[in-house]
Amino acid sequence: MKLTKKSHACVRLEKDGRTLVIDPGGFSEEDAALGADVLLVTHEHADHFDEGQLRAGLESNPAAEIWTLKSVAEKISAAFPGRVHTVGHGDTFSAAGFDVQVHGELHAVIHPDIPRITNVGYLIDGGRVFHPGDALTVPDHQVETLMLPVMAPWSKIAEVIDYVREVKPQRAYDIHDALLTDLARPIYDRQIGALGGSEHLRLTPGASAEL
Protein backbone atom coordinates (compact mmCIF):
# COMPACT_ATOMS: atom_id res chain seq x y z
CA MET A 1 0.00 0.00 0.00
CA LYS A 2 1.28 3.46 -0.89
CA LEU A 3 0.64 6.32 1.53
CA THR A 4 0.83 9.88 0.19
CA LYS A 5 0.64 12.80 2.59
CA LYS A 6 -1.38 15.78 1.43
CA SER A 7 -1.48 19.06 3.31
CA HIS A 8 -2.84 19.06 6.87
CA ALA A 9 -5.12 16.08 7.64
CA CYS A 10 -5.56 14.65 4.14
CA VAL A 11 -3.95 11.37 3.07
CA ARG A 12 -4.17 9.19 -0.04
CA LEU A 13 -3.86 5.41 0.07
CA GLU A 14 -3.25 3.44 -3.11
CA LYS A 15 -3.20 -0.30 -3.75
CA ASP A 16 -3.98 -2.53 -6.71
CA GLY A 17 -4.67 0.51 -8.88
CA ARG A 18 -7.36 1.91 -6.59
CA THR A 19 -7.23 5.08 -4.47
CA LEU A 20 -8.79 6.00 -1.13
CA VAL A 21 -8.66 9.61 0.11
CA ILE A 22 -9.39 10.72 3.67
CA ASP A 23 -10.33 14.28 4.67
CA PRO A 24 -9.69 16.50 1.64
CA GLY A 25 -10.34 19.78 3.40
CA GLY A 26 -9.87 23.49 3.05
CA PHE A 27 -6.18 23.34 4.03
CA SER A 28 -5.47 20.61 1.47
CA GLU A 29 -4.42 20.95 -2.16
CA GLU A 30 -7.23 21.71 -4.62
CA ASP A 31 -6.67 18.40 -6.41
CA ALA A 32 -6.57 16.31 -3.22
CA ALA A 33 -9.78 14.40 -4.03
CA LEU A 34 -9.29 14.02 -7.78
CA GLY A 35 -9.01 10.46 -9.02
CA ALA A 36 -10.23 8.90 -5.79
CA ASP A 37 -12.33 5.74 -5.91
CA VAL A 38 -13.26 6.05 -2.22
CA LEU A 39 -13.62 9.27 -0.21
CA LEU A 40 -13.84 9.23 3.57
CA VAL A 41 -14.58 12.28 5.74
CA THR A 42 -14.18 12.22 9.51
CA HIS A 43 -16.24 15.30 10.42
CA GLU A 44 -17.66 18.60 9.24
CA HIS A 45 -14.93 21.11 10.17
CA ALA A 46 -13.64 22.98 7.15
CA ASP A 47 -10.05 21.79 7.47
CA HIS A 48 -11.33 18.22 6.98
CA PHE A 49 -14.43 18.72 4.81
CA ASP A 50 -14.51 20.89 1.72
CA GLU A 51 -17.69 20.46 -0.32
CA GLY A 52 -16.07 21.77 -3.49
CA GLN A 53 -13.26 19.25 -3.27
CA LEU A 54 -15.67 16.36 -2.71
CA ARG A 55 -17.80 17.45 -5.65
CA ALA A 56 -14.68 17.66 -7.83
CA GLY A 57 -13.64 14.18 -6.75
CA LEU A 58 -17.04 12.66 -7.51
CA GLU A 59 -17.25 14.44 -10.84
CA SER A 60 -13.74 13.34 -11.85
CA ASN A 61 -14.64 9.68 -11.30
CA PRO A 62 -18.29 8.71 -11.90
CA ALA A 63 -17.72 5.49 -9.94
CA ALA A 64 -16.34 7.24 -6.85
CA GLU A 65 -18.36 7.15 -3.63
CA ILE A 66 -18.22 8.85 -0.22
CA TRP A 67 -18.56 7.36 3.24
CA THR A 68 -18.99 9.82 6.08
CA LEU A 69 -21.11 10.77 9.07
CA LYS A 70 -24.58 12.28 8.86
CA SER A 71 -23.60 15.93 9.30
CA VAL A 72 -21.42 15.80 6.18
CA ALA A 73 -23.58 13.41 4.14
CA GLU A 74 -26.63 15.63 4.37
CA LYS A 75 -24.68 18.51 2.80
CA ILE A 76 -23.80 16.67 -0.39
CA SER A 77 -25.96 13.55 -0.78
CA ALA A 78 -28.75 15.26 -2.75
CA ALA A 79 -26.37 16.15 -5.57
CA PHE A 80 -25.02 12.61 -5.88
CA PRO A 81 -27.87 10.17 -5.18
CA GLY A 82 -26.74 6.71 -4.23
CA ARG A 83 -23.08 7.67 -3.97
CA VAL A 84 -22.94 9.14 -0.45
CA HIS A 85 -23.17 6.70 2.46
CA THR A 86 -23.73 7.54 6.13
CA VAL A 87 -21.70 5.60 8.70
CA GLY A 88 -21.12 5.62 12.43
CA HIS A 89 -19.15 3.90 15.16
CA GLY A 90 -19.08 0.12 14.73
CA ASP A 91 -19.94 0.08 11.04
CA THR A 92 -17.85 -1.90 8.57
CA PHE A 93 -17.81 -1.82 4.78
CA SER A 94 -15.71 -2.67 1.75
CA ALA A 95 -15.11 -0.28 -1.13
CA ALA A 96 -12.79 -0.47 -4.14
CA GLY A 97 -10.82 -3.27 -2.49
CA PHE A 98 -10.40 -1.49 0.86
CA ASP A 99 -11.93 -2.88 4.05
CA VAL A 100 -12.96 -0.14 6.47
CA GLN A 101 -14.04 -0.16 10.10
CA VAL A 102 -15.51 2.97 11.71
CA HIS A 103 -14.37 3.95 15.21
CA GLY A 104 -15.30 6.85 17.48
CA GLU A 105 -18.23 9.16 17.99
CA LEU A 106 -17.21 12.64 19.19
CA HIS A 107 -14.72 15.35 18.32
CA ALA A 108 -12.11 16.07 20.99
CA VAL A 109 -12.98 18.82 23.48
CA ILE A 110 -11.83 22.20 22.18
CA HIS A 111 -13.25 24.11 25.16
CA PRO A 112 -16.08 23.20 27.58
CA ASP A 113 -18.11 26.13 26.23
CA ILE A 114 -17.96 24.80 22.65
CA PRO A 115 -20.48 22.02 21.89
CA ARG A 116 -18.85 18.81 20.69
CA ILE A 117 -19.69 17.58 17.22
CA THR A 118 -19.59 14.05 15.87
CA ASN A 119 -16.31 12.64 14.56
CA VAL A 120 -15.40 9.20 13.30
CA GLY A 121 -12.09 7.52 12.59
CA TYR A 122 -11.35 4.97 9.88
CA LEU A 123 -9.39 1.75 10.32
CA ILE A 124 -8.24 0.50 6.92
CA ASP A 125 -7.60 -3.12 5.95
CA GLY A 126 -7.69 -4.66 9.39
CA GLY A 127 -5.40 -2.15 11.04
CA ARG A 128 -2.85 -1.33 8.38
CA VAL A 129 -3.78 2.36 8.72
CA PHE A 130 -5.88 4.27 11.25
CA HIS A 131 -6.97 7.90 10.75
CA PRO A 132 -8.80 9.19 13.86
CA GLY A 133 -9.92 12.58 12.54
CA ASP A 134 -10.04 15.15 15.36
CA ALA A 135 -10.12 12.78 18.31
CA LEU A 136 -7.75 10.56 20.23
CA THR A 137 -9.80 7.44 19.58
CA VAL A 138 -8.17 4.12 20.43
CA PRO A 139 -9.56 1.36 18.20
CA ASP A 140 -10.03 -2.12 19.62
CA HIS A 141 -7.58 -3.48 17.07
CA GLN A 142 -3.83 -3.51 16.58
CA VAL A 143 -2.70 -0.59 14.38
CA GLU A 144 0.31 -0.79 12.08
CA THR A 145 0.33 2.85 10.90
CA LEU A 146 -1.29 5.60 12.94
CA MET A 147 -2.06 8.91 11.28
CA LEU A 148 -1.24 11.09 14.27
CA PRO A 149 -2.97 14.48 14.82
CA VAL A 150 0.21 16.08 15.99
CA MET A 151 -0.92 19.65 16.72
CA ALA A 152 -4.39 21.15 17.15
CA PRO A 153 -6.26 23.78 19.18
CA TRP A 154 -7.75 20.89 21.15
CA SER A 155 -4.55 19.11 22.18
CA LYS A 156 -1.19 19.46 23.91
CA ILE A 157 1.93 17.44 23.26
CA ALA A 158 1.57 15.35 26.44
CA GLU A 159 -1.78 14.09 25.16
CA VAL A 160 -0.30 13.33 21.75
CA ILE A 161 2.53 11.31 23.32
CA ASP A 162 0.14 9.41 25.59
CA TYR A 163 -2.10 8.67 22.60
CA VAL A 164 0.78 7.03 20.73
CA ARG A 165 1.61 5.03 23.86
CA GLU A 166 -1.99 3.84 24.18
CA VAL A 167 -2.50 2.87 20.53
CA LYS A 168 0.97 1.26 20.31
CA PRO A 169 1.28 1.41 16.50
CA GLN A 170 4.34 0.14 14.67
CA ARG A 171 4.76 3.66 13.30
CA ALA A 172 3.05 7.05 13.55
CA TYR A 173 2.97 9.59 10.73
CA ASP A 174 2.13 13.21 11.51
CA ILE A 175 -1.09 14.72 10.21
CA HIS A 176 -3.06 17.78 11.31
CA ASP A 177 0.12 19.81 11.07
CA ALA A 178 -0.75 22.88 8.98
CA LEU A 179 -0.58 25.13 12.05
CA LEU A 180 2.74 23.70 13.21
CA THR A 181 5.61 25.97 12.20
CA ASP A 182 8.91 24.65 10.88
CA LEU A 183 10.55 26.17 13.95
CA ALA A 184 8.48 23.93 16.24
CA ARG A 185 8.63 20.70 14.25
CA PRO A 186 11.99 19.51 15.65
CA ILE A 187 10.62 19.86 19.17
CA TYR A 188 7.60 17.70 18.35
CA ASP A 189 9.75 15.20 16.44
CA ARG A 190 12.19 14.84 19.32
CA GLN A 191 9.66 14.55 22.13
CA ILE A 192 7.17 12.26 20.39
CA GLY A 193 9.98 10.14 18.99
CA ALA A 194 11.69 9.79 22.36
CA LEU A 195 8.61 9.29 24.53
CA GLY A 196 5.88 7.78 22.34
CA GLY A 197 7.32 4.28 22.18
CA SER A 198 6.73 3.89 18.42
CA GLU A 199 8.59 4.94 15.31
CA HIS A 200 7.63 8.56 14.67
CA LEU A 201 7.74 9.79 11.06
CA ARG A 202 6.81 12.84 9.04
CA LEU A 203 6.15 13.31 5.33
CA THR A 204 6.13 16.66 3.58
CA PRO A 205 2.99 17.33 1.51
CA GLY A 206 3.19 15.32 -1.71
CA ALA A 207 5.72 12.82 -0.36
CA SER A 208 4.92 9.11 -0.20
CA ALA A 209 5.91 5.98 1.68
CA GLU A 210 5.32 2.29 1.10
CA LEU A 211 3.55 0.55 3.96
Side-chain angles (χ1 to χ4, degrees):
M1 183 183 293
K2 180 180 179 181
L3 164 70
T4 301
K5 171 75 164 65
K6 307 298 284 185
S7 292
H8 197 50
C10 181
V11 298
R12 292 174 70 96
L13 301 175
E14 299 171 71
K15 70 169 189 176
D16 301 328
R18 311 303 291 274
T19 299
L20 179 151
V21 175
I22 306 175
D23 280 1
F27 293 174
S28 306
E29 296 81 357
E30 291 185 1
D31 64 350
L34 298 184
D37 299 288
V38 182
L39 290 157
L40 307 179
V41 181
T42 63
H43 65 288
E44 66 196 76
H45 284 163
D47 56 328
H48 295 255
F49 161 59
D50 183 280
E51 183 175 345
Q53 291 212 31
L54 292 182
R55 286 176 175 270
L58 291 175
E59 290 166 358
S60 72
N61 179 3
E65 298 180 65
I66 296 174
W67 280 261
T68 187
L69 35 67
K70 181 181 178 182
S71 59
V72 172
E74 62 188 13
K75 291 179 171 64
I76 196 168
S77 58
F80 299 95
R83 298 173 65 187
V84 181
H85 311 280
T86 301
V87 294
H89 176 68
D91 288 340
T92 62
F93 60 93
S94 295
F98 295 92
D99 294 323
V100 184
Q101 299 176 22
V102 184
H103 292 266
E105 299 179 88
L106 291 172
H107 192 287
V109 175
I110 302 171
H111 187 276
D113 290 350
I114 299 176
R116 296 175 74 182
I117 62 170
T118 50
N119 175 96
V120 295
Y122 298 104
L123 187 75
I124 311 299
D125 284 356
R128 292 188 67 188
V129 177
F130 181 59
H131 189 307
D134 274 9
L136 301 180
T137 301
V138 179
D140 57 354
H141 200 290
Q142 181 60 45
V143 174
E144 292 181 18
T145 300
L146 173 65
M147 307 314 300
L148 178 65
V150 67
M151 188 273 188
W154 45 266
S155 73
K156 58 184 179 181
I157 196 167
E159 296 169 335
V160 174
I161 291 167
D162 286 346
Y163 181 53
V164 177
R165 288 180 173 183
E166 191 170 3
V167 176
K168 297 182 177 67
Q170 292 181 21
R171 66 192 70 87
Y173 278 99
D174 285 351
I175 58 169
H176 214 282
D177 56 355
L179 301 181
L180 186 62
T181 69
D182 289 340
L183 187 65
R185 287 182 190 275
I187 299 171
Y188 279 73
D189 291 344
R190 183 171 62 253
Q191 294 187 358
I192 297 170
L195 300 173
S198 300
E199 184 179 17
H200 176 241
L201 302 160
R202 178 161 45 88
L203 293 170
T204 57
S208 300
E210 294 293 333
L211 304 181

